[in-house]
Amino acid sequence: MSAHAPIVDARAIHKHFGHLHVLKGVDLQVAEKELVFLIGPSGSGKSTLLRCLNRLEEPTSGSVIVDGIDMLDARTDINKARQRIGMVFQSFNLYPHMTALGNVALALRKVQGLGKAAAEAKARAALDRVHLADRADHYPLQLSGGQQQRVAIARAIALEPRVMLFDEPTSALDPELVGGVLAVMRELREDGMTMVVVSHEMGFAKAAADRVVFMADGAIVEQGVPAEIFAAPRHDRTRAFISQIERH
Amino acid sequence: MSGWERFVDSFFNARVMAQYLPKIIEGFGLTVVLALLIIAAGLALGLLLALLRAFGIRPLNWLIIFTVDLFRALPPLVIIVLLFFGLPNAGIELSGFVASWLSLTLVLMAFSEEIFWAGITSVPKGQWEAARSTGLGFVQTLGHVVLPQALRITIPPLTNRTIAITKGTALASVVAVPDILGAANAGVSFSFNPSPLTLGAIAYLVLFFPVVVLGRWIETRFAWKR
């Protein structure tokens, strides 16, 4: 980690869903340009943690500071703050009634207040970055899953976020479509994007992650560089999880 | 006269039909105006209530649900009669036209609110999350992302319900409104011949058949582009 203040600084995050205690005091700091991978068995709280970072999920207690903005302060303009945090979802969540271009341009127009022409120019540039400039006028249902997810990435990066959150971005994709999405993510990383990724793509984690965080039962069990976590995990839980994943 | 001749004389009596055609046409115009006013006000109010309900303000939602259930439970004729014959006791005199319009508007409001609401809730949570994650506010998300999708889903049931309730304009004849059925009934009473009713039936077909076809067209027009 760099010596600078972390761009994402989440501390002592607790989250209860009724009687379920899904996050039990989690700390997560992410440095600028760092790619952090969150792994762990399902139900370990990694997606919930990710969703707490842009307050799609309201932590029961704790603090979340992103790029110097207190995300949990009631006085924070959450809509303004969220523009700095791009998010990509497992199920893409593209707007089915809009073209790819419309999907990307919506927030540019309605949130950033750009005119139609300026928003579309920016949206086209973002689609170009995910190699889908030629699909701008297609509706989501006319695109493959991989293309839809890349449009979703374009929708997020068009707002020029400081951090990108990926919530299992390839889990809903057919295997042959995963590569295209990972390639775009790798290019983002090379452009210096700070990224927090929840994913089971261990190959990508090994190749691209700066740090792997292993979570279980709502807490961080251990974290370190990929080589360390994958080759020499210190905890039994981590070892069991890694060996189970690698067997597949 | 044979049975067939008597039938034709009763229901397709050209002389009677010609005599009452102008009245039926006037009734037709009135029914169209009444129907359009009901559709405009009923759907607008229904959508408004559904949108208000989306804000999730508890006491307000209870009030909306109670109102909606009330007007879904009461037969439209009962509401018309209550408004027309009951309200004067409270010092409010409504014409038959206004009482009919208000009653059917409230009924359409209630049913369409439920349909709009079902449409809004059927939009996946992920759509809300995606929009909110890009910084769109609640109202912007509702307006630009959720509502357009909700409206598409609601078009078939909404069309059906709108047609069903708008046909209820015939009930206005009970409170002396000279709509199609009112004019036809009056014709029957004066001529002692039911042929004006035949004209009335034709008038209803002319009015509502295109609406049904239009509903079908809108349904296909708004299907997702594949």
Side-chain angles (χ1 to χ4, degrees), chain A residues 113-233:
Chain A
L114 297 182
K116 191 168 158 49
E120 289 192 350
K122 214 169 167 188
R124 277 184 205 284
L127 284 173
D128 194 38
R129 278 182 77 183
V130 299
H131 314 298
L132 286 173
D134 57 332
R135 293 286 188 276
D137 297 323
H138 285 57
Y139 284 85
L141 286 173
Q142 298 168 326
L143 299 171
S144 74
Q147 290 171 331
Q148 288 189 51
Q149 192 60 298
R150 279 148 62 198
V151 172
I153 293 173
R155 176 170 68 183
I157 62 174
L159 297 164
E160 296 170 24
R162 299 296 315 277
V163 185
M164 283 285 290
L165 311 176
F166 291 86
D167 191 2
E168 308 211 19
T170 56
S171 301
L173 294 178
D174 291 333
E176 77 273 18
L177 301 176
V178 169
V181 171
L182 293 183
V184 165
M185 289 171 67
R186 197 182 295 250
E187 286 165 20
L188 275 184
R189 156 148 190 70
E190 281 157 11
D191 292 342
M193 179 65 77
T194 308
M195 296 160 74
V196 184
V197 183
V198 171
S199 170
H200 298 293
E201 298 293 338
M202 296 305 154
F204 184 70
K206 281 179 197 169
D210 294 299
R211 180 156 52 111
V212 175
V213 175
F214 175 70
M215 289 181 71
D217 295 331
I220 291 175
V221 175
E222 69 175 292
Q223 51 183 308
V225 295
E228 214 172 270
I229 296 289
F230 289 114

Side-chain angles (χ1 to χ4, degrees), chain B:
Chain B
M1 251 200 270
S2 72
W4 173 250
E5 280 166 343
R6 229 173 322 164
F7 173 76
V8 171
D9 184 61
S10 295
F11 290 95
F12 296 92
N13 188 311
R15 187 185 50 80
V16 175
M17 280 181 157
Q19 189 183 349
Y20 289 96
L21 184 63
K23 287 280 175 206
I24 299 283
I25 290 173
E26 274 173 43
F28 183 87
L30 197 79
T31 296
V32 169
V33 172
L34 184 56
L36 288 178
L37 290 176
I38 290 164
I39 293 171
L43 293 183
L45 287 173
L47 182 60
L48 181 73
L49 288 189
L51 290 175
L52 284 176
R53 195 168 164 187
F55 282 84
I57 305 160
R58 276 280 173 80
L60 182 65
N61 284 7
W62 289 334
L63 190 67
I64 291 172
I65 292 167
F66 174 76
T67 310
V68 162
D69 286 353
L70 184 73
F71 286 109
R72 290 199 305 160
L74 285 171
L77 182 58
V78 172
I79 306 172
I80 293 175
V81 167
L82 278 176
L83 292 186
F84 187 73
F85 295 107
L87 279 186
N89 295 316
I92 304 166
E93 296 261 4
L94 298 183
S95 69
F97 184 87
V98 171
S100 306
W101 167 75
L102 188 57
S103 304
L104 293 173
T105 292
L106 290 172
V107 173
L108 183 57
M109 170 193 82
F111 279 99
S112 65
E113 188 279 337
E114 279 302 293
I115 295 170
F116 284 128
W117 177 247
I120 289 172
T121 53
S122 74
V123 174
K125 198 165 143 252
Q127 292 286 312
W128 283 96
E129 293 182 343
R132 295 307 304 273
S133 79
T134 62
L136 287 167
F138 178 86
V139 174
Q140 287 178 317
T141 302
L142 188 60
H144 296 294
V145 175
V146 175
L147 204 53
Q149 300 182 51
L151 291 184
R152 279 175 202 238
I153 308 169
T154 57
I155 282 169
L158 207 54
T159 310
N160 281 332
R161 191 46 85 170
T162 302
I163 291 168
I165 291 170
T166 318
K167 280 192 295 191
T169 50
L171 296 170
S173 60
V174 173
V175 288
V177 176
D179 70 324
I180 295 175
L181 185 57
N185 273 335
V188 174
S189 312
F190 287 122
S191 66
F192 302 106
N193 181 295
S195 292
L197 275 181
T198 311
L199 273 183
I202 294 168
Y204 277 113
L205 271 182
V206 169
L207 178 55
F208 283 106
F209 202 74
V211 178
V212 176
V213 174
L214 181 74
R216 244 182 237 294
W217 178 80
I218 292 174
E219 233 173 272
T220 43
R221 166 75 182 69
F222 279 82
W224 298 127
K225 296 211 173 45
R226 281 181 186 275

Side-chain angles (χ1 to χ4, degrees), chain A:
Chain A
M1 265 206 256
S2 76
H4 300 291
I7 190 161
V8 173
D9 191 353
R11 288 177 193 270
I13 303 292
H14 284 268
K15 177 66 187 176
H16 295 263
F17 287 115
H19 294 297
L20 276 179
H21 195 177
V22 293
L23 290 176
K24 300 169 181 166
V26 175
D27 291 299
L28 181 72
Q29 283 79 39
V30 181
E32 209 165 343
K33 301 191 177 189
E34 196 181 16
L35 193 164
V36 174
F37 234 79
L38 298 179
I39 62 170
S42 69
S44 59
K46 49 198 195 306
S47 280
T48 306
L49 174 61
L50 196 72
R51 293 159 57 84
C52 282
L53 299 182
N54 67 349
R55 219 173 103 186
L56 273 189
E57 219 64 81
E58 193 93 30
T60 310
S61 66
S63 78
V64 177
I65 314 277
V66 178
D67 199 20
I69 295 169
D70 185 345
M71 296 297 292
L72 305 183
D73 189 331
R75 285 163 302 184
T76 298
D77 181 346
I78 191 68
N79 296 328
K80 210 170 162 192
R82 279 179 178 150
Q83 292 173 60
R84 311 161 83 91
I85 311 170
M87 188 159 199
V88 173
F89 302 84
Q90 178 176 0
S91 48
F92 328 137
N93 299 347
L94 291 183
Y95 317 133
H97 58 301
M98 295 181 191
T99 61
L101 189 70
N103 268 273
V104 182
L106 181 66
L108 292 170
R109 294 195 64 185
K110 302 299 171 188
V111 181
Q112 297 199 334
L114 297 182
K116 191 168 158 49
E120 289 192 350
K122 214 169 167 188
R124 277 184 205 284
L127 284 173
D128 194 38
R129 278 182 77 183
V130 299
H131 314 298
L132 286 173
D134 57 332
R135 293 286 188 276
D137 297 323
H138 285 57
Y139 284 85
L141 286 173
Q142 298 168 326
L143 299 171
S144 74
Q147 290 171 331
Q148 288 189 51
Q149 192 60 298
R150 279 148 62 198
V151 172
I153 293 173
R155 176 170 68 183
I157 62 174
L159 297 164
E160 296 170 24
R162 299 296 315 277
V163 185
M164 283 285 290
L165 311 176
F166 291 86
D167 191 2
E168 308 211 19
T170 56
S171 301
L173 294 178
D174 291 333
E176 77 273 18
L177 301 176
V178 169
V181 171
L182 293 183
V184 165
M185 289 171 67
R186 197 182 295 250
E187 286 165 20
L188 275 184
R189 156 148 190 70
E190 281 157 11
D191 292 342
M193 179 65 77
T194 308
M195 296 160 74
V196 184
V197 183
V198 171
S199 170
H200 298 293
E201 298 293 338
M202 296 305 154
F204 184 70
K206 281 179 197 169
D210 294 299
R211 180 156 52 111
V212 175
V213 175
F214 175 70
M215 289 181 71
D217 295 331
I220 291 175
V221 175
E222 69 175 292
Q223 51 183 308
V225 295
E228 214 172 270
I229 296 289
F230 289 114
R234 276 164 293 163
H235 288 261
D236 291 342
R237 290 290 309 256
T238 321
R239 208 169 294 130
F241 178 75
I242 302 279
S243 69
Q244 216 168 22
I245 289 279
E246 308 248 288
R247 219 176 296 140
H248 292 285

